[in-house]
């Protein structure tokens, strides 16, 4: 029995969002009478941080404290339309829609404040702490709450905004095939170190090193969290998970969490991440978002590392001990490819 | 069928409920007592999302007959906070970004509490062992292990551990 070490590399260009006849998302923003702001979306937060990021974006655009912004993603029946939380599109598409909606609401808020302060709206600014003041004269100010109350009960005005962001449909040029399906790409490079036991065929990932370029990391801790969790899922897909039986008969297939295999807390792999920030021009505050590509590069990197370790090229996932052993046998033994 | 009266202590309050024969504890906690913190992920004892403490010992409430907690004490994640003051475990989970969708979180918290209640200074391996019956789809487990170790340090009066690989 020998343990063979292997290293594998993969890099990806990941298109943000999709385009099958246009890719729109909408957002609506309105103030409550006491000067809090509600962002209505149909873009569901599955834990990836959609609510946190859109809340930050709305607060930044409105110029009000983040605590005063609420994001409601409750109901796609009654909320503004969204294509959905997939294709890593949330931050980019929905974030852009929120910027537009919040900018319109801010304009109304400034006009309402201007009326109260008897100045021009263009002479006003927000301090981000809940106040609107005359530029250069912070003493002449009104709170956002007072502005909202005045708008609602005195001026008969809403502080609200509508936003949509659409990546329009792109037809392929029939001559050249040229098209613009997406507006920006995120990028990643990832190195896997692992060990393969040539007697049991077992593969153990020992270290992950990665670099991700996600535009601006709008919420760095959320980005880190997604990358760590996503890489775990990538390892799980590469080595364990399948709804197909490992062995030929259907009744050997997984039926529950006892037989649908995933790595557990005892198989945590050290993962070192470098996040590179290159803000995208058409992205909200430059943020493209990590999304699906948290898991994607892990799979080819694991497959390459297994090849590097024992010379077995698995072209079907997951890379189970059985497939590794069959490959080793077909080659007449392990064939380490050596350090590259 | 006749219902059975069951009385037990649920997070410091007395619960008195009529339960159907064969009803699971998770069902009775959620629908009867209105405590939605125990989650039902698999209903067959394989995910740990429904973990609660019965007399201080972690149990899978999906596999526990509600009638068997008669006269006993049941602790759920719903009882961890003291009013607005979060339990150190909850604080550490938030500070360490140890939840994404949050479905596993209640079970993780209770498995961790059971550990820390009798072992104030667990090793990393002991933490891993304690949550090895709890599945998480989102976090990759590492932030959870870190958060539990951090909470343990804090409960011993040491500063919270530095977290995060970035
Ligand atoms: S619901 Fe009880 S273990 Fe999954
Ligand atoms: S945070 Fe989603 S399952 Fe653990």
């Amino acid at each position: 029995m020998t343990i063979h070490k292997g290293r594998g590399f993969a890099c990806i260009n990941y298109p943000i969002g999709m385009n099958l006849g246009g890719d729109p998302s909408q957002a609506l923003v309105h103030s409550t009478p006491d000067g809090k702001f509600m962002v209505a979306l149909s873009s569901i937060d599955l834990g990836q941080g959609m609510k946190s990021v859109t809340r930050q974006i709305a607060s930044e655009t409105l110029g009000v404290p983040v605590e005063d912004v609420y994001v409601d993603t409750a109901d796609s029946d009654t909320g503004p339309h969204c294509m959905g939380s997939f294709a890593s599109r949330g931050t980019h598409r929905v974030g852009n829609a929120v910027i537009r909606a919040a900018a319109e609401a801010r304009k109304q808020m400034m006009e309402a404040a201007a009326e109260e302060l008897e100045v021009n709206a263009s002479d006003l600014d927000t301090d981000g702490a809940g106040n609107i003041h005359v530029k250069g004269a912070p003493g002449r100010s009104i709170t956002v709450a007072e502005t909202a109350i005045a708008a609602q009960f005195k001026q008969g005005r809403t502080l609200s905004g509508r936003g949509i962001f659409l990546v329009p449909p792109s037809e392929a040029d029939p001559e050249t095939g040229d098209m613009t399906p997406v507006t920006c790409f995120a990028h990643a490079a990832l190195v896997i170190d692992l060990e393969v036991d040539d007697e049991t065929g077992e593969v153990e990932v020992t270290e992950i090193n990665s670099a991700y370029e996600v535009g601006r990391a709008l919420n760095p801790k959320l980005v880190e969290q997604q990358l760590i969790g996503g890489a775990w899922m990538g390892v799980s897909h590469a080595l364990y998970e399948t709804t197909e039986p490992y062995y030929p008969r259907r009744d050997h297939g997984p039926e529950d969490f006892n037989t649908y295999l995933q790595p557990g807390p005892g198989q945590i792999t050290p993962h070192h991440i470098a996040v590179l920030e290159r803000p995208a021009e058409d992205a909200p505050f430059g943020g493209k978002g990590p999304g699906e590509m948290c898991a994607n590069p892990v799979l080819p990197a694991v497959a390459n590392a297994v090849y590097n370790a024992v010379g077995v090229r698995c072209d079907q996932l997951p890379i189970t001990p059985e497939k590794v052993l069959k490959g080793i046998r077909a080659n007449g033994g392990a064939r380490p490819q050596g350090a590259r | 069928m006749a219902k059975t009266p069951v009385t037990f202590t649920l997070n410091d309050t007395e619960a008195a409920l009529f339960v159907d024969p064969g009803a699971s504890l998770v069902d009775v906690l959620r629908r009867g007592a209105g405590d939605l913190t125990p989650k039902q992920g698999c209903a067959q004892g394989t995910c740990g999302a429904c973990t609660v403490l019965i007399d201080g010992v972690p149990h899978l409430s999906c596999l526990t007959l509600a009638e068997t907690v008669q006269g006993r004490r049941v602790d759920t994640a719903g009882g961890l906070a003291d009013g607005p003051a979060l339990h150190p475990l909850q604080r550490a989970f938030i500070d360490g970004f140890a939840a994404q969708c949050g479905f596993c979180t209640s079970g993780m918290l209770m498995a961790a509490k059971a550990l820390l209640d009798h072992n104030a200074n667990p090793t990393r391996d002991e933490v891993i062992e304690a949550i090895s019956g709890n599945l998480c789809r989102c976090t990759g487990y590492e932030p959870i292990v870190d958060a539990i170790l951090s909470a343990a340090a804090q409960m011993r009066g040491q500063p919270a551990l530095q977290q995060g690989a970035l």
Side-chain angles (χ1 to χ4, degrees):
Chain A
M1 173 197 105
T2 313
I3 304 282
H4 301 275
K5 288 187 192 302
R7 173 171 286 183
F9 175 75
C11 52
I12 59 170
N13 298 319
Y14 193 80
I16 298 298
M18 51 104 228
N19 193 325
L20 303 166
D23 189 10
S25 278
Q26 293 188 28
L28 294 173
V29 171
H30 74 269
S31 84
T32 59
D34 58 350
K36 314 290 183 197
F37 284 86
M38 188 67 70
V39 181
L41 305 170
S42 298
S43 324
I44 299 305
D45 192 336
L46 307 154
Q48 76 278 50
M50 176 82 82
K51 278 187 174 175
S52 310
V53 163
T54 48
R55 189 182 190 203
Q56 287 175 256
I57 289 172
S59 131
E60 190 76 23
T61 309
L62 285 159
V64 303
V66 74
E67 300 78 33
D68 291 349
V69 177
Y70 300 85
V71 176
D72 179 13
T73 61
D75 191 339
S76 55
D77 271 349
T78 55
H81 174 256
C82 177
M83 292 298 280
S85 301
F86 60 89
S88 313
R89 64 189 291 289
T91 297
H92 187 268
R93 304 294 199 267
V94 184
N96 272 323
V98 168
I99 285 183
R100 291 172 186 194
E104 189 174 287
R106 177 185 165 94
K107 187 163 177 285
Q108 295 178 3
M109 175 176 82
M110 300 307 255
E111 282 165 8
E115 195 169 319
E116 290 308 297
L117 292 171
E118 297 179 6
V119 293
N120 248 324
S122 59
D123 293 333
L124 292 177
D125 205 354
T126 45
D127 68 355
N131 304 296
I132 302 165
H133 59 85
V134 176
K135 283 176 194 165
R140 279 199 70 194
S141 72
I142 180 171
T143 66
V144 171
E146 288 161 351
T147 306
I149 291 169
Q152 169 90 347
F153 296 104
K154 220 168 106 190
Q155 304 174 6
R157 186 202 289 268
T158 61
L159 310 185
S160 61
R162 307 147 299 166
I164 182 167
F165 184 73
L166 167 70
V167 175
S170 170
E171 299 296 335
D173 182 311
E175 297 294 319
T176 63
D178 187 41
M179 68 183 298
T180 312
V182 290
T183 64
C184 62
F185 282 80
H187 311 276
L190 187 137
V191 178
I192 289 277
D193 283 292
L194 51 67
E195 294 177 353
V196 182
D197 183 326
D198 69 7
E199 187 179 30
T200 64
E202 273 172 309
V203 177
E204 190 188 330
V205 177
T206 52
E207 188 170 329
I208 306 175
N209 286 283
S210 67
Y212 279 87
E213 193 283 296
V214 296
R216 188 184 289 175
L218 298 183
N219 187 318
K221 285 299 284 183
L222 283 180
V223 169
E224 178 195 342
Q225 179 192 48
Q226 274 202 45
L227 292 174
I228 290 177
W232 171 87
M233 191 184 271
V235 170
S236 191
H237 286 157
L239 296 178
Y240 300 96
E241 290 183 40
T242 176
T243 54
E244 292 299 309
Y246 279 16
Y247 298 98
R249 280 171 47 148
R250 184 65 245 182
D251 55 6
H252 289 132
E255 289 171 347
D256 55 31
F257 289 133
N258 279 331
T259 47
Y260 184 87
L261 300 182
Q262 301 164 48
Q267 288 142 298
I268 294 171
T269 307
H271 184 176
H272 309 108
I273 303 168
V275 173
L276 312 175
E277 297 189 282
R278 302 212 176 131
E281 263 177 40
D282 76 336
F285 300 102
K288 295 185 281 198
E292 283 177 26
M293 72 167 183
C294 300
N296 292 348
V298 179
L299 285 73
V302 168
N304 286 338
V306 168
Y307 178 75
N308 182 236
V310 291
V312 173
R313 177 56 74 192
C314 282
D315 57 9
Q316 293 207 350
L317 296 169
I319 301 171
T320 58
E322 188 196 12
K323 287 175 191 160
V324 173
L325 282 183
K326 278 184 173 160
I328 289 175
R329 187 174 302 171
N331 286 347
R335 289 187 192 163
Q337 301 297 301
R340 279 187 258 181
Chain B
M1 258 191 288
K3 290 181 187 271
T4 313
V6 178
T7 57
F8 58 100
T9 306
L10 173 59
N11 301 326
D12 291 333
T13 57
E14 290 307 308
L17 298 160
F18 288 101
V19 308
D20 288 320
S24 68
L25 179 58
V26 65
D27 214 40
V28 166
L29 289 172
R30 290 178 61 87
R31 291 184 212 214
D35 182 349
L36 298 178
T37 56
K39 307 293 176 192
Q40 178 164 295
C42 65
Q44 57 173 191
T46 54
C47 75
C50 64
T51 304
V52 301
L53 307 189
I54 302 176
D55 294 335
V57 179
H59 279 74
L60 300 172
S61 59
C62 70
L63 295 185
T64 305
L65 289 176
E67 291 159 69
T68 62
V69 302
Q70 168 63 39
R72 303 173 77 181
R73 180 188 172 89
V74 177
D75 284 292
T76 71
L80 280 178
D82 182 6
L86 295 181
H87 189 279
L89 275 166
Q90 293 172 306
R91 191 73 258 160
F93 268 59
I94 292 173
D95 292 345
F97 283 67
Q100 285 188 37
C101 78
F103 199 84
C104 69
T105 308
S106 302
M108 290 287 184
L109 287 168
M110 297 319 285
K113 181 174 191 307
L115 171 70
L116 300 190
D117 281 350
H118 71 264
N119 181 355
N121 196 1
T123 64
R124 197 174 182 86
D125 282 346
E126 284 167 338
V127 170
I128 287 170
E129 176 71 28
I131 62 163
S132 61
N134 296 68
L135 295 184
C136 175
R137 187 53 161 166
C138 309
T139 62
Y141 296 99
E142 188 166 26
I144 296 175
V145 174
D146 288 346
I148 296 169
L149 286 167
S150 175
Q154 228 175 342
M155 290 162 76
R156 294 193 305 272
Q158 295 165 356
L161 302 181
Q162 206 51 44
Q163 292 181 5
L166 215 57

